[in-house]
Amino acid sequence: MSAKYDSKRTKTDVLIEEGTFNPTPEKVRDPKFRGSEFFDPHDAVQVKYEMLRRVSIDKVSVTEASDEYGVSRPTYYQAKVNFDMAGIAGLVPTKPGPRGPHKIDDKVVAFLQAQLAPGEPVRARELAKLLRQELDIELHPRSIERVLKKAAGKPCRDGGMPDPTVDHRVPVRGIAQGCSRRSAAAYSP
């Protein structure tokens, strides 16, 4: 049986696994969260929701609510924006770390595309070495394959579209499909 459905897990275990555990429950001073079976100061989503409700419905100041729920005012405002955009799901904390590729920008994509010959297979290991030598950027060959495959479905910089007859489900081939090599090279460093 998977750990996800193990009946011996505690609520705290589930909150930690789901990323909704409030690491500072002692900072929550709202009396509702003391000795209640329903209100749990360890549940970050519930704490944020109640904080937003206190400001919106009970007309408590943001500063007072922030202090009462043990968070900073910027945390309150971020929770408000997230809630307004996504409802209760917006209060679930996101995973820390970068969102998407942070080393790969248009310059890198253009450089990689300029190295490709139409109809030739992508040699990601060679491109990784070339990228390291020319731009001093370390990229895993699989990352190079993914970014080039993604770029293959986008319009070319010269306004054309990639060749629709190429099967994009197979390993990336000739990413400059439908684009002139000259137009890709024009954007290289």
Side-chain angles (χ1 to χ4, degrees):
M1 180 182 282
S2 73
K4 192 168 190 168
Y5 300 105
D6 184 3
S7 62
K8 296 182 183 187
R9 293 185 320 157
T10 65
K11 181 179 180 182
T12 301
D13 292 336
V14 174
L15 291 172
I16 290 169
E17 286 175 25
E18 298 299 324
T20 59
F21 180 75
N22 180 8
T24 56
E26 69 280 356
K27 290 184 177 181
V28 179
R29 296 190 330 247
D30 184 338
K32 289 189 295 264
F33 284 86
R34 300 282 177 239
S36 170
E37 288 185 29
F38 182 78
F39 292 103
D40 184 359
H42 293 95
D43 187 340
V45 174
Q46 190 177 47
V47 169
K48 288 179 185 177
Y49 180 81
E50 281 300 308
M51 175 182 63
L52 294 174
R53 190 196 64 74
R54 289 275 289 147
V55 172
S56 178
I57 305 299
D58 297 344
K59 304 301 182 200
V60 172
S61 74
V62 170
T63 302
E64 189 178 336
S66 298
D67 290 343
E68 187 175 19
Y69 289 90
V71 299
S72 65
R73 283 187 4 254
T75 299
Y76 165 84
Y77 288 114
Q78 187 61 58
K80 174 90 170 92
V81 167
N82 293 345
F83 182 76
D84 290 346
M85 286 178 33
I88 199 91
L91 299 180
V92 176
T94 57
K95 293 180 182 178
R99 313 280 188 273
H102 55 281
K103 294 180 184 178
I104 304 170
D105 57 15
D106 288 341
K107 177 182 170 185
V108 172
V109 173
F111 176 81
L112 292 170
Q113 287 177 325
Q115 308 309 312
L116 300 175
E120 293 294 317
V122 170
R123 307 231 187 289
R125 287 188 184 135
E126 292 172 19
L127 288 173
K129 289 177 188 174
L130 194 57
L131 196 59
R132 189 177 324 114
Q133 292 168 354
E134 299 290 326
L135 299 178
D136 197 30
I137 295 174
E138 289 281 336
L139 271 183
H140 192 276
R142 183 64 188 119
S143 296
I144 291 171
E145 290 171 353
R146 280 193 304 264
V147 75
L148 289 174
K149 187 170 185 172
K150 184 177 179 183
K154 293 184 177 178
C156 301
R157 292 181 185 270
D158 64 2
M161 286 297 288
D163 184 351
T165 62
V166 175
D167 184 358
H168 295 287
R169 294 172 297 169
V170 296
V172 183
R173 302 171 135 208
I175 297 304
Q177 309 131 348
C179 304
S180 68
R181 187 159 166 78
R182 190 178 77 233
S183 67
Y187 292 96
S188 64

